[in-house]
């Protein structure tokens, strides 16, 4: 059966949409947001938020999307008049939720490689106020290869610098014509790094000092922390979803229900910014703050830390997905007790707020619409333990005067998960029962574990020797972990228990 294509004409045609699909004929709104990136994440996060603001009459502005590389979706977006269907699916307050909505926040897409003049022309729009980006973690980096005469420069900072310079010259350096910049790339201090790259590009191109001063004074480069799993186009379900929708949408996007956005703007009138882009007023979980560190710690230590403390032991126990972990009483209890008893006590936000976030994390992990494979999450687990768990171990020991049993066990599980004696195709080969699995990490880490396990003798003394050598590698952990009082012996005890008795009995003892 042929279905009509989603576009503005279809919304006006009297087409019978399913009752569970929210939609409305949108009116033309001034373009207030310039967005670098047309991919699934921004459409399922920022554009959904702008759509929500517009439906409540709180923003009345649209998003013009810039395709950051030569190949992309700008043409397809324009074919659909910027419209696409967003499916939000997950568990919320204990109930399975599935929301469907046609998002109408996007006005149009621009491919600067095909229409460079049209791209630069957006700088002349006096309504434009917000710039959003998601150009991958590597996107925010200065490139000496960029030239001012490129049309366009290859890098995102290069493209942005040209646009900012165009605005600076068009409005004659008016400090009231600067932007609020909200980069969503997953790097530390993304706003600070973007500003640095722009100023470095301006210097590289010998642009006038007055422009650099305008960049500094007229523009607010915010650091942000984004949190929502956006699973994108549902390739495996597309046919069934299209039949239920009754129309063809090449840009269907799927995401979890949970969302959170922390926006840090130091030295700025936060109240004014929050009123200019009133996310919270629309009921969205967005925080404007002058210090996002507590929110980053909350996410990294609870959400990411729970993943890292659980998945390696769970894989050794025969599980393959996060959902299977949540369905297993022991593993689920181990993870939740680790969060509540060992991670939350090391954080400084209000306890009620931390517990609400932890409850949401449990619901997110149990989401029946998302398959998170443990082996995928296991990638680079040594750096993940260092970044996500080690600070909780150290802070817990400082505040409580003892070690956190589950977070200590998590390192032992990591060490046993990394048990392998052969490196093949840049991966250390481990075994679960008789099946091989790939351990993927930096080569020095893989070589260290390969060498350590090749000398292992299965005894308490052998576990002590193995663990002492692993923990002493400050190149991997950033410090000699043997200096944490009692840590070596505790980890070694768990390693010996896992190897001798199995991971399930060892986890039961750690979770007691």
């Amino acid at each position: 059966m042929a279905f009509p294509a989603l576009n503005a004409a279809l919304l006006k045609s009297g087409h019978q949409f399913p009752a569970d699909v929210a939609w409305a004929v949108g009116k033309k709104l001034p373009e207030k947001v310039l967005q670098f990136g047309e991919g699934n994440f921004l459409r399922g996060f920022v554009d959904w938020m702008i759509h929500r603001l517009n439906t409540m009459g709180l923003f009345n502005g649209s998003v013009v999307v810039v395709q950051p590389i030569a190949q992309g979706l700008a043409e397809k977006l324009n074919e659909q008049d910027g419209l696409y269907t967003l499916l939000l699916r997950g568990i919320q307050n204990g109930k399975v939720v599935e929301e469907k909505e046609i998002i109408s926040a996007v006005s149009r897409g621009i491919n600067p490689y095909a229409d460079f003049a049209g791209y630069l022309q957006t700088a002349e729009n006096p309504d434009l106020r917000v710039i959003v980006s998601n150009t991958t973690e590597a996107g925010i980096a200065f490139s000496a290869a960029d030239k001012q005469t490129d049309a366009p420069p290859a890098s995102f900072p290069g493209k942005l610098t040209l646009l900012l310079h165009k605005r600076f010259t068009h409005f004659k350096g008016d400090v009231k014509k600067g932007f609020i910049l909200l980069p969503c790339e997953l790097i530390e201090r993304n706003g600070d790094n973007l500003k640095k790259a722009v100023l470095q590009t301006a210097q590289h191109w010998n642009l006038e000092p007055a422009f650099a001063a305008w960049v500094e004074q007229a523009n607010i480069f915010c650091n942000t922390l984004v949190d929502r799993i956006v699973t994108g186009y549902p390739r495996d379900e597309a046919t069934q979803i299209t039949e239920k929708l009754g129309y063809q949408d090449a840009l269907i996007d799927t995401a979890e229900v949970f969302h959170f956005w922390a926006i840090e703007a130091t030295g700025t009138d936060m109240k004014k910014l929050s009123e200019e882009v009133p996310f919270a007023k629309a009921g969205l979980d967005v925080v404007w703050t002058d210090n996002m560190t507590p929110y980053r710690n909350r996410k990294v230590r609870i959400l990411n830390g729970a993943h890292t403390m659980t998945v390696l032991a769970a894989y050794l126990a025969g599980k393959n997905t996060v959902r299977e972990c949540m369905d297993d009483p022991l593993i689920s209890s181990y993870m939740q007790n680790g969060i509540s008893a060992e991670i939350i006590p090391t954080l400084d936000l209000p306890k009620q707020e931390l517990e609400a976030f932890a409850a949401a994390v449990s619901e997110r992990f149990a989401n029946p619409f998302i398959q998170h494979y443990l082996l995928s999450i296991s990638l680079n687990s040594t750096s993940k333990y260092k970044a996500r768990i080690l600070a909780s171990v150290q802070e817990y020991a400082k505040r409580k005067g003892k070690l956190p049993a589950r977070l200590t066990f998590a390192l032992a599980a990591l060490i046993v998960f990394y048990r392998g004696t052969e490196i093949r195709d840049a991966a250390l080969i481990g075994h679960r029962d008789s099946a091989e699995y790939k351990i993927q990490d930096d080569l020095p880490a893989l070589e260290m574990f390969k060498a350590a396990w090749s000398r292992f003798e299965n005894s308490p003394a052998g576990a002590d020797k193995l663990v002492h050598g692993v923990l002493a590698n400050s190149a991997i952990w950033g410090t000699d972990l043997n200096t944490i009082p009692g840590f070596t012996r505790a980890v070694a005890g768990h390693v010996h228990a896992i190897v001798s008795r199995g991971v399930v009995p060892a986890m039961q003892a750690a979770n007691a």
Side-chain angles (χ1 to χ4, degrees):
M1 179 179 177
F3 295 101
L6 176 63
N7 53 36
L10 184 65
L11 296 186
K12 299 173 184 176
S13 69
H15 176 79
Q16 194 67 33
F17 289 92
D20 62 346
V21 176
W23 66 279
V25 177
K27 59 182 180 179
K28 189 174 178 62
L29 298 171
E31 292 176 344
K32 294 184 179 180
V33 180
L34 184 70
Q35 177 173 299
F36 288 87
E38 79 287 25
N40 297 319
F41 179 77
L42 289 180
R43 290 190 292 112
F45 188 73
V46 177
D47 298 338
W48 165 75
M49 291 187 184
I50 299 298
H51 175 83
R52 175 71 62 86
L53 290 175
N54 287 337
T55 59
M56 299 178 70
L58 295 173
F59 187 66
N60 296 317
S62 63
V63 181
V64 55
V65 173
V66 176
Q67 181 179 303
I69 59 175
Q71 292 76 39
L73 298 173
E75 184 177 352
K76 182 59 66 178
L77 264 175
N78 290 333
E79 287 176 7
Q80 297 190 182
D81 297 311
L83 301 171
Y84 58 93
T85 311
L86 179 64
L87 276 62
L88 299 180
R89 309 185 293 184
I91 298 176
Q92 193 173 47
N93 300 323
K95 297 180 180 179
V96 175
V97 174
E98 187 169 5
E99 300 174 0
K100 306 183 186 78
E101 187 170 14
I102 295 175
I103 305 300
S104 61
V106 176
S107 61
R108 60 191 171 111
I110 297 175
N111 178 358
Y113 293 85
D115 183 14
F116 181 64
Y119 163 67
L120 281 186
Q121 194 174 19
T122 61
E124 300 176 5
N125 174 9
D127 293 319
L128 206 61
R129 175 59 171 153
V130 179
I131 293 180
V132 176
S133 66
N134 186 33
T135 57
T136 77
E137 291 88 300
I140 299 181
F142 164 74
S143 172
D146 285 340
K147 298 182 180 65
Q148 189 180 356
T149 54
D150 290 342
S155 78
F156 165 47
K159 292 183 183 73
L160 179 59
T161 303
L162 273 187
L163 182 102
L164 292 174
H165 190 256
K166 177 73 171 179
R167 191 167 183 88
F168 167 77
T169 55
H170 181 77
F171 289 105
K172 298 178 173 57
D174 187 348
V175 294
K176 295 181 180 178
K177 296 301 180 186
F179 295 111
I180 302 168
L181 293 102
L182 304 173
C184 297
E185 287 83 355
L186 298 176
I187 63 170
E188 193 86 21
R189 315 298 300 176
N190 45 23
D192 292 344
N193 280 285
L194 181 57
K195 181 179 179 180
K196 180 181 177 182
V198 166
L199 291 172
Q200 196 172 355
T201 303
Q203 183 179 36
H204 181 62
W205 290 347
N206 293 315
L207 298 178
E208 60 269 46
F211 169 65
W214 180 84
V215 170
E216 294 261 21
Q217 296 165 11
N219 299 274
I220 305 168
F221 287 80
C222 302
N223 295 304
T224 80
L225 174 70
V226 298
D227 192 2
R228 169 174 266 180
I229 297 170
V230 177
T231 40
Y233 186 79
R235 205 167 298 280
D236 296 339
E237 308 170 77
T239 301
Q240 302 96 299
I241 290 174
T242 298
E243 290 174 354
K244 290 179 181 178
L245 294 176
Y247 57 86
Q248 193 72 39
D249 181 356
L251 297 171
I252 297 172
D253 203 2
T254 60
E256 64 174 341
V257 179
F258 179 90
H259 69 280
F260 177 73
W261 198 3
I263 304 173
E264 179 190 273
T266 55
T268 305
D269 187 340
M270 215 66 58
K271 186 174 185 296
K272 185 178 178 182
L273 286 179
S274 65
E275 289 172 352
E276 191 170 356
V277 193
F279 294 120
K281 197 171 181 180
L284 298 166
D285 196 2
V286 179
V287 175
W288 292 88
T289 178
D290 60 1
N291 181 15
M292 64 182 286
T293 299
Y295 299 101
R296 179 174 291 281
N297 287 344
R298 182 183 74 172
K299 177 180 183 287
V300 169
R301 294 202 203 172
I302 295 180
L303 173 67
N304 304 128
H307 263 160
T308 300
M309 71 172 284
T310 305
V311 297
L312 304 182
Y315 185 81
L316 294 174
K319 308 303 178 186
N320 294 305
T321 67
V322 172
R323 178 71 190 278
E324 289 177 42
C325 296
M326 300 308 294
D327 290 339
D328 184 285
L330 170 61
I331 297 173
S332 177
S333 170
Y334 160 82
M335 184 197 77
Q336 292 179 10
N337 287 339
I339 293 172
S340 62
E342 298 179 4
I343 297 176
I344 285 179
T346 70
L347 297 170
D348 295 323
L349 287 170
K351 186 177 180 182
Q352 186 176 358
E353 187 177 326
L354 293 169
E355 289 175 343
F357 183 80
V361 164
S362 295
E363 291 189 329
R364 297 170 75 184
F365 287 174
N367 190 338
F369 299 100
I370 297 177
Q371 289 286 10
H372 261 181
Y373 289 95
L374 304 186
L375 280 183
S376 297
I377 301 170
S378 74
L379 179 68
N380 296 328
S381 282
T382 54
S383 61
K384 287 176 178 175
Y385 188 93
K386 174 186 171 184
R388 301 173 173 186
I389 297 181
L390 187 54
S392 295
V393 170
Q394 294 168 319
E395 189 64 25
Y396 185 94
K398 177 182 174 183
R399 296 187 184 191
K400 302 287 187 178
K402 60 181 180 178
L403 291 169
R406 298 165 190 85
L407 301 184
T408 303
F409 175 84
L411 182 55
L414 183 155
I415 292 170
V416 178
F417 178 87
Y418 274 64
R419 184 175 190 175
T421 55
E422 177 190 2
I423 294 177
R424 188 196 316 149
D425 298 326
L428 181 62
I429 306 302
H431 291 84
R432 185 177 69 175
D433 298 327
S434 59
E436 290 185 351
Y437 62 89
K438 290 185 176 181
I439 305 161
Q440 296 179 297
D441 209 318
D442 293 335
L443 187 58
L446 299 182
E447 290 175 337
M448 178 196 69
F449 281 105
K450 175 179 177 292
W453 279 107
S454 70
R455 300 187 293 267
F456 176 67
E457 296 177 4
N458 188 10
S459 66
D464 279 340
K465 187 176 179 181
L466 169 76
V467 169
H468 189 278
V470 169
L471 268 57
N473 195 320
S474 57
I476 290 176
W477 309 113
T479 186
D480 182 347
L481 298 185
N482 293 296
T483 60
I484 301 174
F487 198 48
T488 308
R489 177 159 292 184
V491 174
H494 291 309
V495 167
H496 182 63
I498 295 171
V499 173
S500 301
R501 296 162 44 212
V503 69
V504 171
M507 182 184 283
Q508 287 172 333
N511 192 45

